[in-house]
């Protein structure tokens, strides 16, 4: 039988973990690494997608070397458009201005075309076996709300997906037991709470916060994944803390609903 804790205390534990993450060296390493990846224009994004549809992280040859990785032999470059910028000195040589002198094609490569050091990650996937029966119990809760849980291989490192149109929750089959439980709790929160939610950032923050509360009640500490996930979607640790407090009632209510239904199902099965 599930033993629920005080959800307010668990949300406080979540925000404390986020605050500690923001000051950690691992998080600073992650941010420094991410700063090397550009936010590409719409046109360049389209060019990348046309040439390498599965691309996730793209950078130039030298940038990959600086990150401790190298492009593997035989890999074909992805070509994007970059501006040609000239630096012009003024007559008094006290100032320098820049001007655009056209565009040129430059080669970049996706991370899957490289090998070498692992990049710092904001969200470390959970390892270990699930507490007995947790995954199936959550799947049964999903089924009671009309959602079919499917275990399969998902593309591009996706851990889970929820579709209100198809009434399905898809979970990456190759992840560890604890990661699959956390992902299912996350997607189940989407199923119950976000059918008509237009704010993706808020939806992800609420879903992961609810999953954190549910996992803590099930004896799984998902902080290693949840702290980074919530912080990334909120846009920073301060923003994450503020938004969690604003959504606390919705998060607590949804987590309590799922946990109470788990209790009912497990009591019936015992």
């Amino acid at each position: 039988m599930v033993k629920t804790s005080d959800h307010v205390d668990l949300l406080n534990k979540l925000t404390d973990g986020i605050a500690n993450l923001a000051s950690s060296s691992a998080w600073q390493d992650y941010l420094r690494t991410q700063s090397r990846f550009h936010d590409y224009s719409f046109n360049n994004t389209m060019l990348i997608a046309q040439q390498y549809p599965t691309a996730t992280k793209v950078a130039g040859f030298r940038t990959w070397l600086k990150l401790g990785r190298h492009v593997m032999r035989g890999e074909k470059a992805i070509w994007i458009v970059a501006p040609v910028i000239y630096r012009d000195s003024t007559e008094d040589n006290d100032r320098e201005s820049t001007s655009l002198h056209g565009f040129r094609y430059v080669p970049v490569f996706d991370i899957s075309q490289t090998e070498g050091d692992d990049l710092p990650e904001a969200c470390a996937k959970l390892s270990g076996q699930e507490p007995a029966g947790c995954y199936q119990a959550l799947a049964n809760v999903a089924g009671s709300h009309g959602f079919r849980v499917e275990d399969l291989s998902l593309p591009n490192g996706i851990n889970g997906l929820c579709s209100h149109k198809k009434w399905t929750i898809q979970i990456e089959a190759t992840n560890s037991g604890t990661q699959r439980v956390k992902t299912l709790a996350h997607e189940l929160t989407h199923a119950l709470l976000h059918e008509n939610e237009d704010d993706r950032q808020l939806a992800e923050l609420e879903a992961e916060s609810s999953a954190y509360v549910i996992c803590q009640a099930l004896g799984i500490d998902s902080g290693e994944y949840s702290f980074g996930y919530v912080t990334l979607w909120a846009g920073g640790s301060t923003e994450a803390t503020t938004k969690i407090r604003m959504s606390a009632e919705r998060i607590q209510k949804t987590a309590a609903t799922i946990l109470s239904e788990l209790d009912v199902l497990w009591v019936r099965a015992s």
Side-chain angles (χ1 to χ4, degrees):
M1 186 173 182
V2 178
K3 295 180 180 179
T4 59
S5 301
D6 185 335
H7 296 170
V8 175
D9 287 344
L10 289 177
L11 287 181
N12 287 338
K13 186 176 179 181
L14 175 61
T15 56
D16 288 344
I18 288 170
N20 291 334
L21 172 70
S23 61
S24 70
S25 59
W27 180 252
Q28 298 307 315
D29 288 343
Y30 171 79
L31 293 180
R32 278 192 293 270
T33 299
Q34 292 307 303
S35 69
R36 294 182 179 273
F37 295 98
H38 299 290
D39 290 327
Y40 289 108
S41 67
F42 175 78
N43 287 338
N44 274 334
T45 300
M46 293 299 293
L47 284 173
I48 293 169
Q50 289 169 3
Q51 298 170 74
Y52 207 97
T54 59
T56 56
K57 287 186 182 297
V58 172
F61 187 89
R62 290 187 179 84
T63 296
W64 282 122
L65 289 178
K66 291 177 181 178
L67 292 171
R69 300 182 68 86
H70 63 271
V71 177
M72 294 182 289
R73 180 173 295 182
E75 292 292 341
K76 294 182 178 179
I78 304 166
W79 293 92
I80 62 172
V81 177
V84 178
I85 304 294
Y86 285 0
R87 298 186 182 279
D88 305 310
S89 297
T90 58
E91 292 183 0
D92 57 12
N93 291 322
D94 288 335
R95 298 186 203 171
E96 197 175 59
S97 61
T98 59
S99 58
L100 176 64
H101 285 252
F103 294 86
R104 63 187 176 94
Y105 282 99
V106 297
V108 294
F109 299 87
D110 182 58
I111 188 172
S112 62
Q113 299 175 282
T114 70
E115 59 185 6
D117 297 339
D118 291 335
L119 300 182
E121 293 289 343
C123 308
K125 283 188 179 181
L126 306 180
S127 60
Q129 298 298 313
E130 63 171 292
C134 286
Y135 184 82
Q136 186 56 53
L138 283 170
N140 292 341
V141 173
S144 72
H145 289 274
F147 283 83
R148 183 177 69 258
V149 176
E150 301 175 342
D151 301 319
L152 68 170
S153 179
L154 296 173
N156 301 326
I158 295 173
N159 293 321
L161 292 170
C162 175
S163 172
H164 289 92
K165 291 183 179 180
K166 298 179 180 179
W167 290 84
T168 59
I169 292 175
Q170 298 178 328
I171 304 296
E172 172 56 52
T174 63
N175 282 339
S176 71
T178 51
Q179 179 67 40
R180 283 159 50 75
V181 168
K182 190 226 59 84
T183 300
L184 182 49
H186 177 109
E187 300 303 332
L188 183 51
T189 300
H190 280 316
L192 300 185
L193 202 57
H194 299 134
E195 181 175 7
N196 299 308
E197 180 60 67
D198 295 326
D199 188 336
R200 177 73 188 280
Q201 287 184 321
L202 178 63
E204 293 300 328
L205 178 139
E206 290 179 340
E208 190 63 23
S209 298
S210 177
Y212 177 82
V213 171
I214 292 166
C215 284
Q216 288 286 334
L218 294 174
I220 298 172
D221 185 357
S222 70
E224 192 172 3
Y225 189 94
S226 297
F227 297 157
Y229 191 95
V230 172
T231 304
L232 284 175
W233 275 102
S237 59
T238 301
E239 293 83 355
T241 300
T242 300
K243 291 175 182 177
I244 288 171
R245 288 172 179 163
M246 292 175 61
S247 289
E249 184 175 351
R250 281 162 58 87
I251 294 167
Q252 292 171 38
K253 183 177 179 180
T254 306
T257 296
I258 294 171
L259 288 169
S260 64
E261 292 183 16
L262 278 174
D263 273 345
V264 171
L265 288 173
W266 283 2
V267 167
R268 287 176 180 173
S270 62

